[in-house]
Amino acid sequence: MPELPEVETVCRQLEPELEGRRIATLEVLDPRWCRPIKPAELEEAVAGRTIESLGRRGKYLLLGLDGGRTLLMHLRMTGNLVLVEGEDRLDPSEGMRLYEGERSASERHLRARFALDDGRELWFTDPRRFGEALLLGDDELDAHLASRLGIEPLSAQFTAAALGEMAAGRTVPLKSFLLDQKGVAGVGNIYADEALFRARLHPLSPAGSMKPEHLEALRDGVVAALEAGIDGGGASIDDYRDGRGEKGRMQDEFLVHTREGEPCPRGDGTVERIVVSGRSTYFCPACQAKLRRRPRRRNRPARRSA
Ligand SMILES: [Zn+2]
């Protein structure tokens, strides 16, 4: 499932290619992709628009169009956004070459395709069809995102103090705490494991048990894990492909994620797998400290309801 580094990789690759290009047509092949809006309605609203930007917030892709509207896209589990050569597109027997990349088997999973004014096409492919798109006016965009996403972890707002505020009084395990998009936006199963390993924190430690030094370590761990993911071009455990249709390399560089039974990179133990919040979670019991729940202080103000 694509997380922040995968979405950021797509964004960085495709923005220079897409900026200033006009969308000749949009063809929605799967009504589920843009529901509740009807495909024809979205196709009409997007056709003829010029792409002003391609940005990211959390795991969302934001395709900024002229006229003050943004097409918000979420890849969910198996979605990919790939730029392809448009030639021969009406004759699949001739083959559809992926832009600068290997031809992908995901052609048959095409959900929507944008034909650009330079003859190339932008494909949204998605085998499991959970990916989605939503067209929003610029006035609605901020509120829409703010109600779903917390702090952007690669921004200056992501500090140990901000993490401390979020974690205060919470008994939820650190792994689940990191997966909550309303806390830290964009971290998913892979990078939560990698961040906790870097921070030497046990995934089952209660979030509210972190002391200032743990908050610093977790902040640094999250940032380092995400930056490593971006440097690695994202992780292709299963379906993820970058904006050119190629696999990422990060899956070969995981420190603990999917490394059950392998030696800890710190050399002090063996990576174990447990299930937290229904998600496979990998950690080293030797160097990731299980913090105790901090004793409640007397006369403590009532904590926020979750
Ligand atoms: Zn270890």
Side-chain angles (χ1 to χ4, degrees), residues 173-304:
L174 277 178
K175 173 73 184 263
S176 316
F177 173 74
L178 287 179
L179 293 179
D180 180 1
Q181 299 302 296
K182 290 185 181 175
V184 185
V187 176
N189 205 36
I190 296 172
Y191 298 97
D193 285 356
E194 298 289 286
L196 289 170
F197 175 77
R198 286 171 183 269
R200 297 177 182 257
L201 291 170
H202 195 292
L204 291 176
S205 296
S209 64
M210 288 188 289
K211 294 176 179 164
E213 63 267 30
H214 303 129
L215 293 165
E216 290 283 350
L218 185 56
R219 192 211 77 97
D220 292 349
V222 167
V223 171
L226 294 174
E227 286 179 344
I230 294 169
D231 289 347
S236 294
I237 297 179
D238 36 46
D239 296 278
Y240 170 74
R241 298 292 182 274
D242 66 18
R244 299 176 179 130
E246 291 168 357
K247 286 191 178 189
R249 302 174 308 281
M250 187 59 203
Q251 65 281 4
D252 302 326
E253 291 161 38
F254 290 156
L255 299 173
V256 288
H257 189 73
T258 69
R259 300 276 185 246
E260 184 181 13
E262 294 182 29
C264 167
R266 294 191 179 104
D268 57 359
T270 302
V271 176
E272 287 184 10
R273 173 185 174 274
I274 55 173
V275 175
V276 184
S277 299
R279 312 294 300 276
S280 284
T281 297
Y282 301 86
F283 72 104
C284 170
C287 59
Q288 292 181 246
K290 178 97 181 270
L291 308 177
R292 292 229 184 100
R293 194 166 154 183
R294 295 165 93 179
R296 280 179 181 275
R297 279 169 293 174
R298 279 176 183 278
N299 302 324
R300 183 181 181 158
R303 74 181 165 100
R304 274 184 312 163

Side-chain angles (χ1 to χ4, degrees), residues 37-271:
I37 298 177
K38 291 207 167 67
E41 204 179 315
L42 183 66
E43 288 168 358
E44 196 188 328
V46 166
R49 292 287 169 199
T50 298
I51 298 170
E52 293 185 335
S53 58
L54 180 66
R56 180 195 59 75
R57 176 83 168 87
K59 303 178 195 172
Y60 287 93
L61 283 157
L62 279 59
L63 191 71
L65 306 175
D66 70 334
R69 294 217 262 184
T70 296
L71 187 68
L72 203 67
M73 290 179 278
H74 201 299
L75 303 172
R76 296 294 171 199
M77 295 184 71
T78 57
N80 283 308
L81 191 68
V82 186
L83 189 61
V84 305
E85 299 288 355
E87 58 189 353
D88 301 332
R89 69 189 172 97
L90 296 176
D91 185 1
S93 64
E94 295 275 332
M96 291 186 244
R97 281 183 296 123
L98 283 174
Y99 176 67
E100 285 180 13
E102 64 183 22
R103 178 174 163 155
S104 164
S106 57
E107 277 171 28
R108 62 201 158 93
H109 301 303
L110 193 56
R111 300 291 171 231
R113 91 173 146 206
F114 303 78
L116 305 176
D117 60 354
D118 63 357
R120 290 186 293 177
E121 296 188 352
L122 186 64
W123 287 6
F124 193 107
T125 67
D126 190 2
R128 296 193 61 181
R129 301 173 59 209
F130 290 110
E132 57 194 346
L134 180 65
L135 188 65
L136 290 174
D138 288 351
D139 50 333
E140 309 161 287
L141 182 65
D142 287 349
H144 185 88
L145 293 172
S147 67
R148 287 162 177 79
L149 301 174
I151 294 181
E152 199 55 47
L154 299 182
S155 75
Q157 285 87 53
F158 186 54
T159 59
L163 261 183
E165 254 173 55
M166 266 182 245
R170 305 273 308 273
T171 54
V172 63
L174 277 178
K175 173 73 184 263
S176 316
F177 173 74
L178 287 179
L179 293 179
D180 180 1
Q181 299 302 296
K182 290 185 181 175
V184 185
V187 176
N189 205 36
I190 296 172
Y191 298 97
D193 285 356
E194 298 289 286
L196 289 170
F197 175 77
R198 286 171 183 269
R200 297 177 182 257
L201 291 170
H202 195 292
L204 291 176
S205 296
S209 64
M210 288 188 289
K211 294 176 179 164
E213 63 267 30
H214 303 129
L215 293 165
E216 290 283 350
L218 185 56
R219 192 211 77 97
D220 292 349
V222 167
V223 171
L226 294 174
E227 286 179 344
I230 294 169
D231 289 347
S236 294
I237 297 179
D238 36 46
D239 296 278
Y240 170 74
R241 298 292 182 274
D242 66 18
R244 299 176 179 130
E246 291 168 357
K247 286 191 178 189
R249 302 174 308 281
M250 187 59 203
Q251 65 281 4
D252 302 326
E253 291 161 38
F254 290 156
L255 299 173
V256 288
H257 189 73
T258 69
R259 300 276 185 246
E260 184 181 13
E262 294 182 29
C264 167
R266 294 191 179 104
D268 57 359
T270 302
V271 176

